[in-house]
């Protein structure tokens, strides 16, 4: 009888430890921590101003970050493989120049979309071929093309602006879905987010990205065409630069050579904040989705409270440092805890 009671007690203890381990494992996931931070942020701003949780204001605020959030999606694939692309803002500027110039010449909206996507795709393909063909670091190549693409825009456009666009061009970046207050841009972002989540987490291509990020050499020996995969990543990113240029030009109805300046680091911030390891091989689309909402609505809330631009930059920078350091600390904690549990057994 006593042996049976001891067995029951040990079984309960094991069950309690199992539940405890699962809870610790769950609440130390970076995506869960981001959701908690986002919830606390919403509670903070809603308690400070009645305008934060206004449905129209929340939807209207998405205009300020949807384009960057869209660009963060293909950037996930690039960083997942251990690469980086700091030329995306310059590609957007080049595509926007092409759109503005073609619009001034009388091109139709479908033609403008085709031109923008073509220019962006070719620019991204050039990046990928240069990086893989010459076996050069992605940061070195994209730093060079960053200057080159921006230089082309400045050289051809100068300090002029393109402001002539076809009728109805502004619908993509300014309008809401009929009979709702939901912007077209935000709906497009949600659809693309689901598409990228499916590709990354449910397809062979997504598994290849994780494999390359963890060890490109091992992935190569496993039969993965690493060079082709990296070229596809940069080409797809260029394609989305073209799409983003169309959306941005549609929203502001103006194209200048300095358009999208500084977006490179802001977009990379969204990806890293979302939990994608800067060294590659780790991360989720959901984390980047929550990170994008967090940064977007954090800026919106600080704007409502009239925080200075400098303070906003400090807060976002602090979040980025946290995003880089905390996951590493959590990994160390999990590893040490696993060793302790093994020692106890």
């Amino acid at each position: 009888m006593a042996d049976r009671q001891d067995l029951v007690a040990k079984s309960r203890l094991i069950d309690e430890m199992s539940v405890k381990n699962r809870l610790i494992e769950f609440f130390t996931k970076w995506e869960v921590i981001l959701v908690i931070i986002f919830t606390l942020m919403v509670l903070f701003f809603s308690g400070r101003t009645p305008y934060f949780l206004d449905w129209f204001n929340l939807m209207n605020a998405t205009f300020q970050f949807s384009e960057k959030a869209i660009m963060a999606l293909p950037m996930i694939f690039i960083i997942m493989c251990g690469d980086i692309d700091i030329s995306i803002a310059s590609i957007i500027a080049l595509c926007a120049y092409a759109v503005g110039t073609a619009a001034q010449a009388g091109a139709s909206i479908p033609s403008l979309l085709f031109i923008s996507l073509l220019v962006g795709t070719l620019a991204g393909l050039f990046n990928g071929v240069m990086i893989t063909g010459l076996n050069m670091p992605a940061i070195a190549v994209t730093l060079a093309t960053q200057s080159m693409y921006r230089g082309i825009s400045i050289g051809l456009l100068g300090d002029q602006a393109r402001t002539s666009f076809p009728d109805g061009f502004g619908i993509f970046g300014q309008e809401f879905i009929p009979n709702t207050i939901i912007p077209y841009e935000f709906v497009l972002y949600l659809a693309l987010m689901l598409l990228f989540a499916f590709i990354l987490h449910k397809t062979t291509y997504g598994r290849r990205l994780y494999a390359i990020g963890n060890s490109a050499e091992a992935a190569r020996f496993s039969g993965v065409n690493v060079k082709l995969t990296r070229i596809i990543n940069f080409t797809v990113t260029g394609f989305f630069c073209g799409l983003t240029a169309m959306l941005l030009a549609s929203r502001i109805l103006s194209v200048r050579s300095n358009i999208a300046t500084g977006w490179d680091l802001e977009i990379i911030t969204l990806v890293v904040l979302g939990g994608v390891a800067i060294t590659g091989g780790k991360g989720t689309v959901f984390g980047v989705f929550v990170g994008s909402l967090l940064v977007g609505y954090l800026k919106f809330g600080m704007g409502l409270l009239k925080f200075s631009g400098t303070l906003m930059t400090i807060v976002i920078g602090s979040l980025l440092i946290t995003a880089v350091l905390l996951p590493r600390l959590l990994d160390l904690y999990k590893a040490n805890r696993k060793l302790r549990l093994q020692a106890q057994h």
Side-chain angles (χ1 to χ4, degrees):
M1 187 68 179
D3 291 341
R4 184 178 179 183
Q5 289 178 344
D6 289 341
L7 185 62
V8 171
K10 288 180 180 178
S11 178
R12 287 177 179 174
L13 181 60
I14 291 172
D15 289 341
E16 289 175 1
M17 290 180 64
S18 178
V19 172
K20 181 181 177 182
N21 290 338
R22 289 174 185 172
L23 287 174
I24 291 175
E25 186 71 23
F26 178 76
F27 283 104
T28 53
K29 288 182 178 179
W30 180 243
E31 292 82 359
V32 176
I33 293 173
L34 277 178
V35 171
I36 294 172
I37 294 174
F38 181 79
T39 304
L40 294 175
M41 178 203 69
V42 171
L43 292 174
F44 173 79
F45 285 121
S46 60
R48 295 296 184 277
T49 171
Y51 302 108
F52 183 80
L53 282 183
D54 179 81
W55 181 244
F56 178 78
N57 286 345
L58 288 175
M59 288 294 98
N60 197 49
T62 62
F63 282 115
Q64 303 302 318
F65 65 82
S66 289
E67 293 140 4
K68 296 172 187 175
I70 288 173
M71 279 308 308
L73 295 173
M75 185 63 77
I76 295 173
F77 287 7
I78 286 181
I79 295 180
M80 188 67 72
C81 289
D83 291 318
I84 200 164
D85 188 346
I86 58 174
S87 70
I88 48 177
S90 298
I91 297 178
I92 292 172
L94 186 62
C95 295
Y97 162 76
V99 168
T101 302
Q104 195 172 45
S108 64
I109 293 177
S111 298
L112 295 178
L113 178 60
F114 175 77
I115 291 169
S116 187
L117 295 178
L118 178 63
V119 172
T121 301
L122 291 176
L125 176 62
F126 180 78
N127 281 348
V129 170
M130 287 288 289
I131 290 166
T132 57
L134 299 179
N135 198 27
M136 293 178 64
I139 190 169
V141 172
T142 57
L143 181 63
T145 55
Q146 177 192 54
S147 300
M148 184 176 73
Y149 296 146
R150 181 70 70 175
I152 293 172
S153 302
I154 294 173
L156 295 175
L157 194 56
D159 57 357
Q160 300 177 4
R162 298 284 189 265
T163 56
S164 298
F165 296 95
D167 293 336
F169 184 72
I171 189 173
F172 304 107
Q174 298 179 353
E175 298 295 327
F176 301 88
I177 293 176
N179 302 318
T180 72
I181 53 173
I182 304 175
Y184 282 110
E185 272 194 357
F186 191 59
V187 173
L188 175 62
Y189 167 60
L190 293 178
L192 290 173
M193 183 268 295
L194 292 175
L195 174 63
F196 273 80
F198 175 78
I199 294 172
L200 182 63
H201 303 300
K202 299 295 183 181
T203 68
T204 303
Y205 188 81
R207 290 190 288 273
R208 288 173 183 169
L209 298 180
Y210 281 105
I212 293 171
N214 283 299
S215 175
E217 196 66 24
R220 188 178 294 108
F221 283 119
S222 299
V224 176
N225 192 329
V226 176
K227 286 189 175 182
L228 179 61
T229 302
R230 294 171 71 197
I231 289 174
I232 291 174
N233 288 344
F234 283 97
T235 304
V236 169
T237 300
F239 176 89
F240 277 93
C241 284
L243 176 62
T244 301
M246 274 290 289
L247 295 173
L248 182 56
S250 174
R251 178 165 62 88
I252 63 178
L253 292 178
S254 176
V255 171
R256 293 182 179 275
S257 58
N258 64 348
I259 193 171
T261 299
W263 278 29
D264 316 272
L265 296 182
E266 291 186 44
I267 291 165
I268 292 170
T269 297
L270 296 182
V271 178
V272 175
L273 180 62
V276 178
I278 198 69
T279 53
K282 181 181 178 183
T284 64
V285 173
F286 177 72
V288 176
F289 169 66
V290 178
S292 299
L293 294 182
L294 175 61
V295 173
Y297 283 117
L298 182 61
K299 288 183 176 180
F300 170 63
M302 289 191 292
L304 287 178
L305 297 182
K306 299 181 180 179
F307 284 24
S308 67
T310 303
L311 184 56
M312 288 186 187
T313 303
I314 293 172
V315 172
I316 300 299
S318 301
L319 270 177
L320 183 58
I321 292 173
T322 303
V324 173
L325 292 180
L326 191 55
R328 291 178 178 272
L329 295 176
L330 290 174
D331 288 341
L332 288 174
Y333 168 75
K334 291 176 184 178
N336 290 333
R337 192 170 185 279
K338 186 176 180 180
L339 289 173
R340 289 199 302 270
L341 290 175
Q342 290 175 347
Q344 289 174 4
H345 290 306

